[in-house]
Amino acid sequence: MSTGNEAPATWLSQDAHDRLQAELDEHIANRPAIAAEINARREEGDLRENGGYHAAREEQGKAEGRIRYLQELLRTAKVGEAPTADAVSPGMVVTIYFDDDADDTETFLLGSREIAATTDLTVYSPESALGKAILGGRPGQTCTYTAPSGADIKVTVVSFEPFSG
């Protein structure tokens, strides 16, 4: 039974998946070098005033965080073409127009930041105000969302198609 809390699937092209896997492999391979750097800095003396030691520890923390994030993303992502949907969903290239001006259009990818590296399109998260407003939308449907500035913005879905990356 669905609880409604499941995150939408993240679809990655094979190329994007391979690039993220290579980044993960590089971070994992670099672990011994970071540990050696920390040990070398530790031997320099007083840790309270050792900027090199603290910088190396901070770098290790960032690398470990990225490793955990990539491992989870690659474990849960689906590789290939996103299934064709009859409504706006993550992994879609969406064209909208603003207010009632059909000439004021914007085309963007509704997806995760990681996909941004694979395209020249602007990427909006499904969790953004705009993303939440248009999720499930169909061509011709008008949605309103509140921008970070507090203004209510009206958009109309023109079209959408799966991202081919």
Side-chain angles (χ1 to χ4, degrees):
M1 182 166 128
S2 174
T3 62
N5 292 334
E6 293 86 15
T10 299
W11 287 90
L12 298 174
S13 66
Q14 186 64 54
D15 185 49
H17 182 275
D18 293 347
R19 278 199 309 271
L20 292 171
Q21 183 65 54
E23 180 186 345
L24 174 61
D25 293 345
E26 184 177 317
H27 280 299
I28 290 172
N30 200 31
R31 277 175 165 164
I34 292 174
E37 178 73 14
I38 290 170
N39 286 335
R41 298 296 180 189
R42 183 180 294 129
E43 292 173 4
E44 291 176 356
D46 188 354
L47 296 182
R48 290 175 294 168
E49 297 178 13
N50 188 331
Y53 170 79
H54 293 290
R57 291 286 302 187
E58 185 175 323
E59 187 64 30
Q60 180 187 40
K62 288 179 185 176
E64 289 301 318
R66 183 70 176 161
I67 287 170
R68 285 190 301 278
Y69 175 80
L70 289 172
Q71 285 173 328
E72 182 64 13
L73 176 66
L74 293 170
R75 185 183 68 77
T76 59
K78 299 187 184 317
V79 178
E81 296 294 321
T84 303
D86 60 352
V88 174
S89 60
M92 297 279 182
V93 176
V94 183
T95 300
I96 59 170
Y97 67 81
F98 292 92
D99 297 317
D100 292 315
D101 184 357
D103 293 327
D104 183 13
T105 64
E106 182 175 2
T107 299
F108 57 88
L109 174 61
L110 189 64
S112 68
R113 291 183 306 170
E114 280 61 37
I115 296 174
T118 68
T119 180
D120 291 333
L121 288 169
T122 299
V123 178
Y124 289 108
S125 166
E127 300 302 315
S128 68
L130 172 60
K132 286 179 181 177
I134 64 171
L135 272 177
R138 292 179 166 71
Q141 183 172 350
T142 299
C143 311
T144 302
Y145 69 96
T146 303
S149 67
D152 285 337
I153 299 176
K154 185 168 72 169
V155 297
T156 302
V157 176
V158 175
S159 64
F160 59 86
E161 62 186 43
F163 175 63
S164 59

